[in-house]
């Protein structure tokens, strides 16, 4: 299972966990993971278990943001990998998303 979706008890927050490779092969599964919820939902994209991320993954995140209302979208990206953090930094995603870097335990 490369995409797992968890909903908070009150339904206000949905966490989408991406494991392994985040690439074009996850397009349909990733899109379905957020389209199943109201656009007003707060989304956390958990990339702590993501080993690889390419430009198509960046595009999928931007498509998600656009679908959920652009600047009004409530999306936080969580990562612990320095490689993934570097990709997000180079793409200047901190201007479009809230990004939280957490330490690996």
């Amino acid at each position: 299972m490369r995409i797992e979706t968890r909903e908070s008890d009150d339904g206000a927050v949905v966490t989408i966990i991406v494991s392994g490779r985040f690439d074009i092969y996850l397009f349909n599964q990733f899109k379905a993971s957020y389209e199943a919820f109201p656009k007003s939902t707060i989304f956390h994209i958990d990339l702590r278990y993501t080993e690889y991320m390419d430009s198509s993954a960046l595009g999928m995140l931007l498509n998600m943001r656009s679908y959920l209302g652009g600047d009004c979208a409530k999306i936080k990206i969580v990562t612990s990998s320095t490689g993934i953090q570097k990709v997000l930094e180079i793409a200047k995603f901190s201007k479009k998303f809230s990004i939280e870097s957490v330490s690996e335990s």
Side-chain angles (χ1 to χ4, degrees):
M1 178 176 357
R2 296 187 36 196
I3 299 238
E4 181 182 344
T5 304
R6 296 183 185 162
E7 188 174 4
S8 64
D9 290 339
D10 63 3
V13 179
V14 170
T15 302
I16 300 171
I17 303 164
V18 182
S19 301
R21 295 177 64 87
F22 191 9
D23 56 24
I24 194 64
Y25 299 105
L26 292 182
F27 178 82
N28 290 329
Q29 192 179 3
F30 184 73
K31 186 176 177 187
S33 71
Y34 61 83
E35 285 186 344
F37 297 95
K39 292 182 179 182
S40 60
T41 303
I42 298 168
F43 289 92
H44 292 173
I45 310 303
D46 187 342
L47 302 180
R48 290 179 294 164
Y49 308 102
T50 305
E51 299 165 359
Y52 171 83
M53 176 180 199
D54 66 9
S55 60
S56 65
L58 297 175
M60 287 185 268
L61 289 167
L62 290 172
N63 285 341
M64 175 189 193
R65 183 179 183 274
S66 178
Y67 174 83
L68 296 174
D71 290 342
C72 297
K74 299 173 192 127
I75 305 168
K76 178 178 9 178
I77 299 172
V78 180
T79 184
S80 60
S81 162
T82 54
I84 300 297
Q85 290 173 22
K86 190 72 170 169
V87 169
L88 296 171
E89 179 184 314
I90 290 169
K92 302 201 183 302
F93 265 43
S94 61
K95 293 183 178 193
K96 301 277 185 196
F97 297 91
S98 170
I99 299 175
E100 179 182 346
S101 298
V102 295
S103 303
E104 293 188 56
S105 307

